[in-house]
Amino acid sequence: MKFNATARSVQGTSASRRLRRAGRVPAIVYGGEGAPLNVELDHNEIYHALRKEQFHASILTMAMEDGKTEPVLLRAVQWHPYKQQVLHVDFQRVSANQALHTKVPLHFINAETSPAVKLSGAIISHIINEVEVTCLPQALPQFIEVDLGNLLGGASLHQKDIVLPKGVTFTHPNDELVIVSAVTKGGGEAAEEAAAE
């Protein structure tokens, strides 16, 4: 995914306030061998980009006004407490031969056809929706698929049960970490609730 950025020379609270009033968002790019770079972004462009899941878990291409591009990773977003407004964004430079540590979303499939739901009327409870992984930039997945097709009622799926793509490892391996559990309440009520979800 690509987004546009413009270098900014003026910093400070009042300068940032002026930028926001003009529909711009202050941001910083850090890491790698270069010095931290202060940039500004178009609010509407970055607001809509941030609503897409892949913007949070992909190597992004930052296009500068001089035509140069740089691969970066989204690191932090500061939102206004009650307005739909982005206040500040942090990006990290990406080097092709340097391992990244970042969070990747989990996509759950086959929950409705699992024995837990079909036979036991269980409710699938997602304990964790993202995991932190370590990999080289070219191996970074946009998401990791978790197949719940064999999940039984009352059972849980642990971190050790997740199949990671090649070249990707868990940053904090914990075999016993519960990702999903199939909670059975018994009776038709639980089955109706599960079907409604």
Side-chain angles (χ1 to χ4, degrees), residues 189-197:
E189 184 183 332
E192 283 170 23
E193 281 180 44
E197 281 190 359

Side-chain angles (χ1 to χ4, degrees), residues 63-83:
M64 300 297 289
E65 74 273 22
D66 58 5
K68 288 182 182 170
T69 61
E70 194 165 8
V72 296
L73 193 62
L74 177 68
R75 276 307 186 195
V77 182
Q78 187 184 347
W79 291 88
H80 192 280
Y82 55 87
K83 291 183 194 169

